[in-house]
Amino acid sequence: MDADVWNEHVARGYDESSTHMYEATVLDPAVDFLARRAGRGPALEFAIGTGRVALPLSRRGIAVAGLEKSEPMARELRKKPGAEEIAVTIGDMAETRAPGEFSLVYVVYNAITCLLSQDKQVACFRNAARHLEPGGRFVIECFIPELQRLPPGETARPFHVGEHHLGFDTFDLANQRLVSHHYRIVDGKADTFLSPHRFVWPSELDLMAKLAGMALSERWADWKETPFTSSSTSHVSVWRKPLEDSSSD
């Protein structure tokens, strides 16, 4: 993730700008899902941010650690109650190694797309596999780009229009890139935030997992385990690292 994007200004306002993601109907199913897959833990969150998911997961009694490239985002996490229980390593989720071995590694809220090349995304899968114990799980929550809704020649599509916020994505289809544009009115003043992404299809992620020595074990449309179909606009996918070969003992 680009530190120039996730800077001090963005970090300070991140939780307020993402209040809908903290609603119980959104957050609780995610934490429930991850807690079941973590088992006894520990769990590692790539791109832990300000701890939206890590903190409630930690409160379930699961030891949680995190990787975060943005120092400002990590500082916002450290201000929160319970953050002292979470060890955060500063670094890129594609290459940085956190101490320990984990039953679960997870990436939520489309963060895999913040890695802007296929090579980086493949490296993220390999890094996840390095952190996992045998039989451990790697979970990703990610959107599926609604390219079918783009008329020929059109490159922009709104995703939210509200009284104080306008959001739209601009697409570069040839390079699997998009830029999310956020325009907010705060105290009568306009605030702008642009974040670049490399969108990626579930089948491409499955190949990345295979390259990292993992295999798909589950795919759902959301954290509530709604069946995944061709019309799903998001997915929650789980890949597993194989158990050690007993014949080598």
Side-chain angles (χ1 to χ4, degrees), residues 174-226:
N175 295 299
Q176 279 184 233
R177 291 288 191 92
L178 68 83
V179 177
S180 291
H181 303 247
H182 299 264
Y183 298 93
R184 294 185 177 84
I185 305 300
V186 181
D187 297 328
K189 297 180 181 179
D191 185 68
T192 303
F193 172 55
L194 280 69
S195 62
H197 302 266
R198 180 186 186 268
F199 61 83
V200 59
W201 305 101
S203 58
E204 189 179 1
L205 294 174
D206 289 343
L207 181 55
M208 294 180 189
K210 185 176 182 179
L211 292 172
M214 296 184 288
L216 181 70
S217 62
E218 302 176 62
R219 174 161 290 137
W220 307 98
D222 53 37
W223 295 112
K224 297 177 182 178
E225 301 185 22
T226 303

Side-chain angles (χ1 to χ4, degrees), residues 31 47 61 68 80 97 113 118 122 135-136 141 177 209 211 244:
V31 176
E68 177 54 55
K80 297 180 178 180
R97 188 73 165 88
T113 68
Q118 186 181 69
V122 169
E141 174 198 23
R177 291 288 191 92
L211 292 172
E244 291 179 319

Side-chain angles (χ1 to χ4, degrees), residues 7 56 65 69 161 188 231:
N7 55 33
K69 186 174 182 180
V161 178
S231 60

Side-chain angles (χ1 to χ4, degrees), residues 125-198:
F125 271 78
R126 286 178 168 149
N127 198 29
R130 283 193 293 270
H131 284 89
L132 285 171
E133 63 187 26
R137 294 172 171 88
F138 183 38
V139 178
I140 286 181
E141 174 198 23
C142 192
F143 70 93
I144 296 174
E146 299 183 81
L147 303 188
Q148 289 177 318
R149 302 180 68 179
L150 277 177
E154 190 169 309
T155 60
R157 179 154 190 86
F159 58 82
H160 183 261
V161 178
E163 184 178 359
H164 301 290
H165 176 257
L166 168 65
F168 66 90
D169 291 326
T170 54
F171 291 85
D172 174 359
L173 301 184
N175 295 299
Q176 279 184 233
R177 291 288 191 92
L178 68 83
V179 177
S180 291
H181 303 247
H182 299 264
Y183 298 93
R184 294 185 177 84
I185 305 300
V186 181
D187 297 328
K189 297 180 181 179
D191 185 68
T192 303
F193 172 55
L194 280 69
S195 62
H197 302 266
R198 180 186 186 268

Side-chain angles (χ1 to χ4, degrees), residues 2-22:
D2 189 346
D4 292 334
V5 172
W6 305 100
N7 55 33
E8 193 78 42
H9 174 70
V10 171
R12 284 198 306 267
Y14 182 80
D15 286 347
E16 184 177 354
S17 69
S18 304
T19 52
H20 62 290
M21 296 300 295
Y22 284 85

